[in-house]
Amino acid sequence: MNILVVEDDANMAQLLAQGLREESYAVDVARDGVTALELSRATSFDVIVLDVMLPGMSGLDVARRLRCRKQEVGVLMLTARDAVPDIVDGLDAGADDYLTKPFSFQELLARVRSLARRTAPKARNVLECGELVLEINTFRTFRNGKEIRLSFTEFRLLELLVRNQGRVVLRAAIAEAIWGDRREIEVNTIDAFVRLVRRKIDDVAPERLIHTHRGLGYSVGVANCA
């Protein structure tokens, strides 16, 4: 299960991420609302653990924007405020569940599991973009009926772009989604992987699938601007 923790307190974010990873969950961390929204565009999360008090954009605003996008993700809101009007505000903003601080980590785990059950199944086994077909479970790629051999990283990159077809995926979002926070990724590395994928999928079709957006990133289904 893929979880996004949105928490501006570094110690709390680290504790939550560590605890969830020890339960074998894949965890990404965002320290503010803008980053959380960018990551949620680039990655399909099962549950978002969302603190209300965030710098710049509040957790309530993040939840509202997620719901405006109609993203099917469970949102567990964390707050130190336990008054009924505060809880109502969180639920009205789009939260599925509410947990007040301080809380037991075991209770948080139980609520995360409950949210995951409500939103599953959500991942599609097959993604299509015109004549391109991605089999998610087997990591197989086809274009015009011909199978294309991609490495695991190449497949994940192409999957990310196809899941976000019609939108520009920023280079920073690509780096976070594919490589996470384990190491720094040079822009040239991202560009090199895009070139590899492009070469493989465009060799079997006359039309270019991946478009470059200079200074921004890449897209599928958005007109070229570079």
Side-chain angles (χ1 to χ4, degrees):
M1 185 162 62
N2 218 10
I3 299 175
L4 175 62
V5 173
V6 190
E7 171 62 67
D8 65 316
D9 183 279
N11 291 331
M12 175 64 77
Q14 182 179 0
L15 287 172
L16 289 175
Q18 180 179 341
L20 290 167
R21 286 169 182 148
E22 288 175 354
E23 296 293 322
S24 300
Y25 297 132
V27 182
D28 288 287
V29 176
R31 299 287 299 281
D32 59 74
V34 173
T35 303
L37 290 172
E38 289 177 354
L39 286 175
S40 66
R41 278 189 183 276
T43 303
S44 179
F45 292 103
D46 299 282
V47 174
I48 297 179
V49 179
L50 178 63
D51 188 34
V52 170
M53 301 300 292
L54 296 171
M57 180 186 299
S58 73
L60 297 177
D61 289 332
V62 173
R64 291 188 187 101
R65 296 198 184 194
L66 288 171
R67 295 317 179 201
C68 284
R69 293 181 189 169
K70 302 189 183 302
Q71 287 186 243
E72 295 183 7
V73 58
V75 176
L76 173 59
M77 195 162 278
L78 306 180
T79 182
R81 300 174 178 175
D82 59 358
V84 171
D86 295 317
I87 296 175
V88 170
D89 286 344
L91 296 174
D92 283 345
D96 297 287
D97 201 354
Y98 209 92
L99 192 57
T100 56
K101 301 177 181 178
F103 53 82
S104 160
F105 184 72
Q106 291 304 314
E107 182 180 1
L108 181 137
L109 281 178
R111 290 173 183 263
V112 165
R113 289 192 296 266
S114 175
L115 286 180
R117 287 193 295 271
R118 292 185 213 171
T119 57
K122 58 180 293 184
R124 296 177 57 194
N125 291 330
V126 175
L127 288 178
E128 297 183 21
C129 181
E131 70 278 9
L132 180 75
V133 177
L134 303 181
E135 292 185 355
I136 305 305
N137 291 344
T138 60
F139 302 105
R140 299 175 71 191
T141 305
F142 301 85
R143 192 170 189 190
N144 289 331
K146 177 175 179 167
E147 184 168 2
I148 302 164
R149 301 288 183 180
L150 298 179
S151 70
F152 179 66
T153 300
E154 291 167 351
F155 184 91
R156 291 190 64 206
L157 171 60
L158 183 57
E159 178 190 356
L160 172 65
L161 295 176
V162 172
R163 285 191 184 278
N164 289 276
Q165 57 186 291
R167 297 196 296 260
V168 177
V169 183
L170 303 180
R171 283 186 174 86
I174 293 173
E176 182 67 32
I178 304 302
W179 288 277
D181 57 2
R182 295 184 297 276
R183 57 186 173 126
E184 292 295 327
I185 298 298
E186 299 289 338
V187 170
N188 290 344
T189 301
I190 298 172
D191 295 340
F193 271 100
V194 170
R195 284 196 297 271
L196 287 171
V197 174
R198 225 182 222 152
R199 188 179 306 147
K200 293 180 179 181
I201 65 174
D202 287 342
D203 279 348
V204 294
E207 183 180 353
R208 173 172 283 188
L209 184 70
I210 301 174
H211 300 293
T212 302
H213 298 266
R214 190 179 299 278
L216 296 173
Y218 297 95
S219 72
V220 166
V222 179
N224 226 14
C225 68

